[in-house]
Amino acid sequence: MNTQIELAVNMRSPCCANKVKKAIQEIEGVKNVNVDPVKQSVVVEGNVVAENVKDIVEKKTGMQTVIMGLGSASMNKNLGSAVVAISVGNSPVRGLLRMNQIDPETCVVEGSLNGLPDSENLYVSLHESGDLTDGCDSCGPPYSTVDRENDGIGFISELKPDDERSVQFRCTSSQLKVSDLFGLSMVVHDGNMQQIKRNQSNRLACGIVARSSGLFENSKRFCACDGVSIWEEKKKRDAVSSS
């Protein structure tokens, strides 16, 4: 299922734009790339994970890259986007998950996680509470619809880490609606689905579902909180995440 990703890339010249376009076109799943060096803007269409595209651009070009928004590749309006920073928990698991309503019946969930344990049963699931008072233990049971108890709708994806204990995933759901999920939580589990349902899994890390910008909804190049550029703000976040 194709989506569009809007990136801000710190390009300085047309030569930079060519490097960025070449790096993105080599990514499997990319369908189209539109690069505007004047606006420092890149729009990517394809069946790809946004964090992976950002990481590859930075690695291959050395240019700072920020994800500005996600949206549908086929509709002319944004139906809802969300982001989840997986940053709470006693384990080393950390990462970022994104949710994008690409049409009224389809929600795309994608993510990039690292620090995962060597386990055969790893899942990420949506939970009914955004309460982090007791860390991930207070996130409540897996999310379910009103008329069906524990129907499996909250189980987002099984995780299969690589040799570096990292994973990137992308999946779709016909039951989730992004507009209903703000304030809930996402949890990374060590345990199978039955253990998760029975609250017998090890909750490794979690985060709260927060509203994020859709395609072309975020035009800022300076952060309103302190007036610094998005590139300076990115440096601050990268320094915190690596410490």
Side-chain angles (χ1 to χ4, degrees):
M1 188 72 70
N2 289 338
T3 54
Q4 286 187 314
I5 307 163
E6 181 190 3
L7 305 169
V9 183
N10 196 8
M11 295 176 282
R12 303 292 187 181
S13 68
C15 179
C16 292
N18 292 334
K19 289 181 180 179
V20 170
K21 188 169 186 176
K22 183 176 184 297
I24 295 174
Q25 286 176 329
E26 293 175 351
I27 301 173
E28 184 177 356
V30 168
K31 183 179 179 181
N32 290 311
V33 185
N34 189 342
V35 181
D36 188 333
V38 176
K39 295 181 178 179
Q40 295 188 318
S41 174
V42 179
V43 177
V44 182
E45 179 182 343
N47 186 2
V48 289
V49 177
E51 288 295 318
N52 185 45
V53 175
K54 176 185 76 69
D55 291 344
I56 287 175
V57 171
E58 292 191 325
K59 182 177 180 180
K60 289 192 174 183
T61 70
M63 300 175 206
Q64 291 176 295
T65 305
V66 177
I67 297 171
M68 302 298 287
L70 275 72
S72 170
S74 59
M75 299 193 70
N76 294 323
K77 60 181 180 178
N78 295 308
L79 300 179
S81 296
V83 64
V84 186
I86 301 297
S87 58
V88 175
N90 296 324
S91 78
V93 176
R94 294 294 182 267
L96 200 66
L97 312 179
R98 296 181 185 274
M99 309 174 76
N100 184 26
Q101 196 75 37
I102 63 171
D103 63 45
E105 305 301 327
T106 310
C107 174
V108 173
V109 185
E110 62 176 57
S112 178
L113 296 163
N114 53 59
L116 292 160
D118 184 8
S119 174
E120 294 183 357
N121 294 298
L122 295 171
Y123 281 86
V124 60
S125 60
L126 180 69
H127 286 248
E128 293 190 347
S129 172
D131 180 7
L132 302 181
T133 303
D134 295 321
C136 303
D137 290 334
S138 54
C139 290
Y143 178 75
S144 62
T145 56
V146 175
D147 57 341
R148 288 180 292 171
E149 183 179 357
N150 292 329
D151 55 6
I153 189 174
F155 290 91
I156 302 301
S157 180
E158 185 176 9
L159 305 175
K160 297 294 185 181
D162 58 23
D163 293 340
E164 296 181 351
R165 314 315 307 162
S166 297
V167 68
Q168 291 184 342
F169 72 91
R170 195 172 193 268
C171 58
T172 61
S173 171
S174 61
Q175 301 182 81
L176 296 177
K177 298 289 187 292
V178 170
S179 58
D180 297 334
L181 308 180
F182 300 123
L184 305 186
S185 61
M186 297 275 261
V187 180
V188 180
H189 297 265
D190 184 355
N192 60 40
M193 292 180 68
Q194 289 302 316
Q195 289 173 321
I196 295 171
K197 288 182 179 180
R198 296 168 182 167
N199 196 26
Q200 296 174 341
S201 66
N202 181 14
R203 298 188 176 193
L204 300 171
C206 56
I208 295 175
V209 180
R211 191 181 305 274
S212 68
S213 297
L215 201 66
F216 311 125
E217 289 183 338
N218 186 0
S219 60
K220 71 176 184 179
R221 288 298 183 269
F222 289 87
C223 298
C225 54
D226 51 15
V228 302
S229 71
I230 58 173
W231 315 120
E232 292 170 313
E233 185 66 19
K234 182 182 186 302
K235 287 181 180 179
K236 290 181 181 179
R237 292 198 305 268
D238 290 348
V240 170
S241 63
S242 62
S243 62

